[in-house]
Amino acid sequence: MAIIPTHRPRRNRKSQVIRDLVQETTLSVHDFIYPLFMIEGQNQAIEIKSMPGIHRFSPDRIIDEIGACVELGIKSFAPFPGLEDGVKDRLARESANPEGLYLRTIAEIKRQFPEVVLMTDVAMDPYSSDGHDGVVDPESGEILNDATLEVLGQMSLAQARAGADVIAPSDMMDGRVAFIRDVLDSNGFSNVSIMSYTAKYASAFYGPFRDALDSAPKKGDKKTYQMNYANRREALRELALDEQEGADMVMVKPALSYLDIIREVRNATTLPVTAYNVSGEYALVKAAAQNGWVDGEKTMMEVLMSIKRAGADAILTYFAKEAAAVLKRG
């Protein structure tokens, strides 16, 4: 006798209209934060070899790129500076220079696009002659946590003065959220938000990003401050501290190999959760698509949907512009 199923979940899949009606997770252009790389110069848009379709822009061209993104509906951006070695030193002094590349470009972006949200990176590595996110003891090579906080505080204040809407400390120093919050509040910037890189793992997926900024450590690695990728519970400890210290949003980085961490963090907090779909994750999809091994557009959208489904409220992604075009097309 034939077995007739009592329950038929396929009935909710029988047409596109029904599938759309019962879809549990949605993806919108409003979910995207677009990372951008800036360099000195004029009329420069230099493609990054390890990140096809992504460029380093001179200040004038980054304005053009933001304008194109705004037309697609993207309104949130995370700019990163690519600096010449000549302006770097062990204390990252260039990070507080209002006439430097980063701060003057932030100010110009806000002048021309006051409606966009700029989420500025707070870490020493783009400005450091050592290539680390913290102050390096010249004798022992140790990353000095508390000395770094002073630098991060001044960097955050300079970015707020330039027009940053959200300060995003990516350094993973202990206590930096509380320190930065105090500096901002004490100087009249209580409305500037903090998006903490709460669970930032020591990952091999950052390789193309370091190519883009030439910011790899000159000696050693970042494992004494970035998290061990074998650890899950530690992310919840970092989350609890960031909440106590006054973070407005929390982030998991990377995203695609850390979907379980995104879900753990989402379940443990009422704060907005962001996830960084990092350069190596982007490059893997692009390389496979260029070789004809996957459908690049479909894979991109599936990756982004998986990050949203895991619990991210917003996604920093190099796919933002391309995905926004797909969503606009419908």
Side-chain angles (χ1 to χ4, degrees):
M1 185 176 76
I3 299 174
I4 301 175
T6 303
H7 301 283
R8 294 182 182 270
R10 286 184 55 195
R11 284 194 285 256
N12 286 341
R13 307 174 199 146
K14 66 185 177 184
S15 74
Q16 185 64 52
V17 174
I18 290 177
R19 291 194 295 272
D20 290 342
L21 188 68
V22 301
Q23 182 168 314
E24 298 174 20
T25 306
T26 58
L27 193 65
S28 161
V29 68
H30 304 299
D31 300 326
F32 299 148
I33 303 163
Y34 194 23
L36 294 168
F37 299 113
M38 62 178 72
I39 55 171
E40 289 282 14
Q42 288 287 322
N43 197 30
Q44 297 290 309
I46 303 169
E47 188 172 36
I48 301 162
K49 186 177 180 180
S50 55
M51 299 176 70
I54 302 299
H55 297 76
R56 301 181 187 92
F57 294 105
S58 55
D60 55 329
R61 294 293 296 275
I62 208 168
I63 294 293
D64 296 339
E65 180 71 356
I66 288 175
C69 290
V70 169
E71 287 293 316
L72 289 168
I74 300 169
K75 298 290 184 68
S76 297
F77 300 89
F80 296 91
L83 303 176
E84 298 294 330
D85 286 345
V87 299
K88 299 179 182 182
D89 62 38
R90 62 178 298 271
L91 294 178
R93 292 181 178 90
E94 181 67 10
S95 66
N97 175 13
E99 300 304 318
L101 170 67
Y102 197 54
L103 298 181
R104 76 170 191 273
T105 305
I106 289 167
E108 182 61 18
I109 293 169
K110 289 300 291 185
R111 187 185 73 80
Q112 296 204 35
F113 297 97
E115 75 278 16
V116 306
V117 168
L118 293 184
M119 300 178 166
T120 53
D121 182 56
V122 173
M124 287 181 59
D125 56 334
Y127 315 92
S128 168
S129 52
D130 296 304
H132 275 284
D133 292 13
V135 176
V136 180
D137 185 299
E139 294 184 3
S140 68
E142 178 186 357
I143 307 301
L144 303 176
N145 191 96
D146 296 359
T148 300
L149 298 184
E150 296 287 344
V151 178
L152 301 179
Q154 292 308 305
M155 189 186 307
S156 299
L157 181 58
Q159 292 176 3
R161 285 172 172 158
D165 301 283
V166 181
I167 300 297
S170 63
D171 56 286
M172 289 302 289
M173 296 298 122
D174 294 335
R176 88 273 205 210
V177 171
F179 193 94
I180 291 169
R181 185 74 273 161
D182 182 63
V183 169
L184 293 175
D185 290 355
S186 298
N187 286 275
F189 291 101
S190 59
N191 285 333
V192 173
S193 307
I194 296 177
M195 178 176 67
S196 176
Y197 284 59
T198 294
K200 182 178 180 180
Y201 287 85
S203 172
F205 285 100
Y206 303 150
F209 180 95
R210 291 173 183 165
D211 289 345
L213 296 186
D214 189 24
S215 62
K218 299 300 185 286
K219 292 182 180 179
D221 55 39
K222 300 190 176 189
K223 292 180 179 178
T224 66
Y225 46 99
Q226 293 180 357
M227 289 173 54
N228 181 346
Y229 60 71
N231 291 358
R232 178 178 55 83
R233 294 190 302 272
E234 186 180 7
L236 299 180
R237 184 183 185 195
E238 292 282 2
L239 169 64
L241 290 170
D242 282 352
E243 288 184 315
Q244 291 169 17
E245 292 177 23
D248 299 287
M249 308 175 207
V250 295
M251 186 200 293
V252 175
K253 180 183 180 184
L256 193 54
S257 291
Y258 297 81
L259 297 176
D260 60 322
I261 307 301
I262 296 171
R263 174 47 56 186
E264 289 278 2
V265 171
R266 172 70 285 155
N267 288 345
T269 187
T270 58
L271 291 177
V273 176
T274 63
Y276 200 148
N277 178 211
V278 299
S279 59
E281 296 169 344
Y282 172 88
L284 290 177
V285 174
K286 284 295 183 181
Q290 287 180 348
N291 279 283
W293 298 335
V294 299
D295 182 309
E297 183 176 295
K298 290 180 179 178
T299 304
M300 168 185 72
M301 300 307 289
E302 186 174 340
V303 163
L304 295 173
M305 187 67 80
S306 75
I307 297 168
K308 188 78 185 297
R309 188 186 65 238
D313 297 292
I315 307 169
L316 284 85
T317 179
Y318 302 96
F319 288 122
K321 190 178 179 184
E322 189 176 351
V326 171
L327 292 171
K328 188 172 184 177
R329 189 175 74 223

